Each structure stands twice: as C-alpha cells, then as structure tokens.
Amino acid sequence: MGPFITFTVPPFPVYIASGEGVFHQGERHISRIFTVFDLLYVTKGELWITENEVPHHVKEGEYIILSPGLPHGGHLPSKEETYYEWLHFSIDPFEWTNRSREHWFDMKQNQATFEKPARYEFSLPRKGTVKGRNVLEKHLSGMRALNDDASELPLKKQLQFEELLIHLQKEAFHLPSAKETVASEVAHYLERHYVEKLQMEQLAERLHYHPDYITRCMQTVYGMTPSQYINRLKIEKAKSMLASSNEKMATNAEHVGIDDPTYFSKLFKQNEGMTPIQYRHLARRTTK
C-alpha cells in the first residue's frame, strides 16, 4: 500500500459523517472494519492505532486516513486524555500510490472545454502533520455545526468537506518553508489583533516583511489574503457570540471590530450564506 491516496476530481469524494470524541487515560480505539474511509485527526494527546497489523502513532496536530475494508483498532491505551475528530467519506475510484504532487499545475490532467471540466489528480498523504490547524479545524467544526437535516445544510457539509480536501492537498505540496513561516507569523498576529482595523503598512512594520510578500505567503499557505483571513476570524468569533448571547447585532459587530452593522451583516452573509439573525435562530434551534 503506497503512502498516498490518489483519485481524480471532479467528481469529489463524498462526505458521509463527522464528529468528535475523546479517549480517557487507559482507553483505546475499538477494533472494527469500515466500508468507507475514516480520517482521524488528533487535537490533543496522542493515539496508537493499528491498521491491517501495521501500527501507527498519531500525535497532536497529526491525522491518519484509514482505508475501507481493512481492520483497525488501538494497540496501546491512551496515556492521557486524547481528543480527536473523525470524518467518514467515500471515494470511487481510488488507488494507493507513491505519487506525490508539487503544485496544482502538476495535478492537472486535462484542460477544460466548452463541454467538459478540467480534471485534477489528487494525491493525499495517508498520514501527515497539519500545518494550518486553524483552517482544518474551522472546516471540521463547520461541518459539525451544519446539523439541521431538514434544510439545505447537509449539502453545505459536502462543500466544507471539499474545501478540507483542497486544504490537505495544499499542505501536501512542498511549499518553501520561508513562506510557511511568514504565513504562520501573520496568522498568529491577526488572531491576537482581529478586533483592530487591518492596516497592511502597520502589519508589515510589525513583522518586518513587505506587504506584497505577506499577501503572497498568505495566499500560498492559507489560500486567502490577510484581509480575507481576518474577516474569517471576525465571523467565527461573531458566530460564537450569536449562538450564546442575546446582544444586538450592532453590539456583536463592535465586539469583532466592525463599526457598521450593515457591513457586518453583509460580510456575515457572504461568508455563511445567511444573515446573523438567521444564524442565531438556526443555532438556537439546533442546540435545543
């Protein structure tokens, strides 16, 4: 079995289900066989799991993708509280290969025509370390939140899942470490200062990089500009407040550094596909 799961898109693999769990000290993963892929991502602690008699040690910030049809289970108990996220999906067809990918251009199989789409060959590592943990965890938490089966939300889970696969493929590219370092510095800075108005000149001065270089690094590593990144942070913080408080929209907007409630509502809808008020009603309904 090669170290890469290789498949062609479109169509994308199909999302089935996802969730989160915990192994308490002394517990281990049960032994079983699934007919679908099982992605396990450790958010805290470490996991010892064997697949088809091959042992794996999955540490915090790492993931493993277990293959359908093969037995897997824990071969050692957890030494500490271990928190993880799981994701089940299907791919048809797929193959295990040794083919890594260097760039999107390397993945492209054919050009689009007026009648046929461009096709890309993905090669995802079956085990890896997640560099952009906040991006991956945003997609995973987003899929868990979309749990109203009586609406279009299950369809949005598929879209979130496709974004997650694209993120994992980006991370599998051999990116220059300098760009990863710069993007990580920028992300950490923005996470601490998301309430403030973003000024690229000030950001460049604080981190000692040219604004254009900062933007290129963020786009390469995270797939978005600093402005798009900080807007996502604002929206994620706002979602938490909307779900847990009865404050006015203007107050929620101020808490995330947006003075104009109308702009806040517009930005929220652009990112979430619904207004803040609609999201609040949905969040209250799905948590009852």
Side-chain angles (χ1 to χ4, degrees), residues 125-144:
R126 68 189 310 270
K127 184 174 183 289
T129 300
V130 179
K131 307 178 188 74
R133 292 185 59 176
N134 51 347
V135 178
L136 180 71
E137 290 170 15
K138 174 180 71 70
H139 290 310
L140 289 168
S141 65
M143 284 183 278
R144 291 200 311 274

Side-chain angles (χ1 to χ4, degrees), residues 102-225:
E102 302 291 331
H103 196 274
W104 292 114
F105 297 116
D106 184 40
M107 295 169 54
K108 199 167 189 177
Q109 302 295 294
N110 63 270
Q111 295 285 346
T113 69
F114 289 111
E115 296 182 335
K116 295 182 179 180
R119 292 173 66 83
Y120 297 83
E121 186 180 79
F122 275 55
S123 281
L124 297 180
R126 68 189 310 270
K127 184 174 183 289
T129 300
V130 179
K131 307 178 188 74
R133 292 185 59 176
N134 51 347
V135 178
L136 180 71
E137 290 170 15
K138 174 180 71 70
H139 290 310
L140 289 168
S141 65
M143 284 183 278
R144 291 200 311 274
L146 299 172
N147 57 2
D148 184 357
D149 291 334
S151 71
E152 81 285 1
L153 295 186
L155 297 176
K156 290 188 175 183
K157 289 184 180 182
Q158 174 66 29
L159 299 179
Q160 286 267 13
F161 171 58
E162 292 174 11
E163 289 288 343
L164 181 148
L165 292 180
I166 291 172
H167 176 70
L168 289 180
Q169 183 62 76
K170 284 181 180 179
E171 291 210 340
F173 294 150
H174 296 292
L175 300 170
S177 59
K179 288 189 176 181
E180 294 177 358
T181 301
V182 172
S184 179
E185 288 183 38
V186 175
H188 289 153
Y189 178 87
L190 296 179
E191 286 161 12
R192 296 193 303 270
H193 301 275
Y194 71 91
V195 177
E196 304 171 11
K197 293 185 183 301
L198 177 62
Q199 300 290 340
M200 284 302 298
E201 294 77 11
Q202 180 182 0
L203 180 62
E205 182 180 346
R206 293 284 182 88
L207 300 180
H208 308 292
Y209 299 112
H210 191 279
D212 292 343
Y213 183 61
I214 288 175
T215 299
R216 288 199 302 272
C217 291
M218 289 294 289
Q219 288 177 322
T220 300
V221 177
Y222 292 113
M224 60 185 80
T225 66

